[in-house]
Amino acid sequence: MNIVVLVKQVPDTEAERKLNPADNTVDRASVDPVINYIDEFAIEEGLQLKESQGGEVTIMTVGPERATESIRKALSMGADKAVHVTDEALHGSDAIQTAKVIAKALGTIEWDVVIAGSEATDSRSAIVPALVAEALGAPQLTQARKVTVDGSTVSIERVTDTGYDRVEGSTPAVISVVEKINDPRYPSFKGIMAAKSKPITVLSLAELGLDAGEVGLANAWTQVVSFENAPPRAAGQTVKDEGNGGAAIADYLASKKLI
């Protein structure tokens, strides 16, 4: 089975993230980059499918040259190879454009299933897996907490507000997973060393047959028009319980129209 895992490099969620006022895009230079948190669960699921079904795991990333760091980490977890689409013209691309690029890149390799995290921590749009499936004309199985493959049939348990639905499709298919699906493994020292020599295919837009005018901030379907920084948090109010603590808290909540 040829398994492709989509991985995005995002600003570290533990750091203070902000937008660049020059063009209202995410300021990636000011924060250390990391693998998108939920993508680590997608990588783990890909590796488990490989262990049960055989085959290879390919990491696919669309992003700047710096994204190689995240690709190497994914390879150190056990993936076999990677495809990295990078081009300066991609800066500011939205979800629709990114999905189009991913679909084109998938056309350069053989694949049976594509696995992605359900959303990225920088954009929170949660639509790229569905857009990729639409662009490919492939079944989409989203929000999976469990994935089962039997021949050409893919079954998932799709998380809902009240439990889960069983959803079934046939390969080739696009799957998105949630963080409840597994426990991602840590790279071993052996894995880290092996990742240094695993192949990474680097592709430009031209090599995918895409024109720079089809992507990028100036041609995006969606843009951040304006933004304001959040105001500093106001100082809290301490309530001492001197026999009237409950009433004091109730008065405070009432003053904020919370009760």
Side-chain angles (χ1 to χ4, degrees):
M1 170 169 278
N2 293 311
I3 303 154
V4 177
V5 180
L6 304 182
V7 171
K8 184 178 183 181
Q9 187 181 63
V10 299
D12 190 347
T13 53
E14 299 297 324
E16 182 180 358
R17 296 167 293 173
K18 57 185 180 181
L19 297 178
N20 186 338
D23 58 9
N24 297 344
T25 61
V26 176
D27 185 354
R28 302 182 185 279
S30 62
V31 181
D32 289 336
V34 297
I35 290 180
N36 178 49
Y37 169 67
I38 304 178
D39 291 351
E40 295 191 19
F41 297 85
I43 296 168
E44 176 62 34
E45 196 61 23
L47 295 174
Q48 291 188 16
L49 276 182
K50 173 189 170 183
E51 289 164 358
S52 65
Q53 304 291 324
E56 286 188 323
V57 176
T58 301
I59 301 300
M60 180 170 287
T61 293
V62 176
E65 292 183 14
R66 197 179 184 186
T68 303
E69 301 166 16
S70 295
I71 291 173
R72 288 294 179 196
K73 180 180 178 183
L75 293 173
S76 72
M77 292 173 68
D80 299 282
K81 57 185 179 179
V83 175
H84 183 189
V85 182
T86 185
D87 198 301
E88 291 185 1
L90 286 166
H91 173 72
S93 294
D94 63 10
I96 296 173
Q97 295 168 321
T98 301
K100 184 176 182 178
V101 173
I102 291 171
K104 276 285 189 179
L106 286 167
T108 67
I109 59 176
E110 294 184 2
W111 60 276
D112 298 298
V113 295
V114 173
I115 306 176
S118 57
E119 64 178 358
T121 55
D122 57 350
S123 61
R124 296 285 188 188
S125 66
I127 58 173
V128 168
L131 289 170
V132 170
E134 178 67 19
L136 295 168
Q140 58 163 313
L141 300 91
T142 57
Q143 303 286 325
R145 70 170 196 176
K146 182 179 181 181
V147 177
T148 304
V149 176
D150 183 7
S152 61
T153 300
V154 181
S155 304
I156 70 162
E157 291 181 357
R158 185 179 196 276
V159 175
T160 69
D161 290 339
T162 56
Y164 67 89
D165 294 329
R166 294 188 187 278
V167 182
E168 189 175 290
S170 58
T171 57
V174 178
I175 304 166
S176 71
V177 302
V178 299
E179 59 267 45
K180 298 177 181 176
I181 195 167
N182 55 45
D183 293 315
R185 67 193 69 183
Y186 290 102
S188 65
F189 179 74
K190 182 180 179 181
I192 293 171
M193 297 305 293
K196 295 180 179 179
S197 59
K198 290 182 177 177
I200 300 176
T201 301
V202 180
L203 298 172
S204 66
L205 289 175
E207 290 170 314
L208 292 178
L210 289 170
D211 185 86
E214 299 178 64
V215 298
L217 184 62
N219 307 297
W221 291 78
T222 59
Q223 295 182 11
V224 176
V225 177
S226 64
F227 70 93
E228 293 183 8
N229 293 322
R233 180 175 295 181
Q237 179 177 328
T238 302
V239 176
K240 286 188 176 181
D241 185 8
E242 297 176 342
N244 64 339
I249 291 174
D251 289 343
Y252 174 78
L253 294 175
S255 71
K256 300 297 182 183
K257 299 182 179 179
L258 295 174
I259 59 174

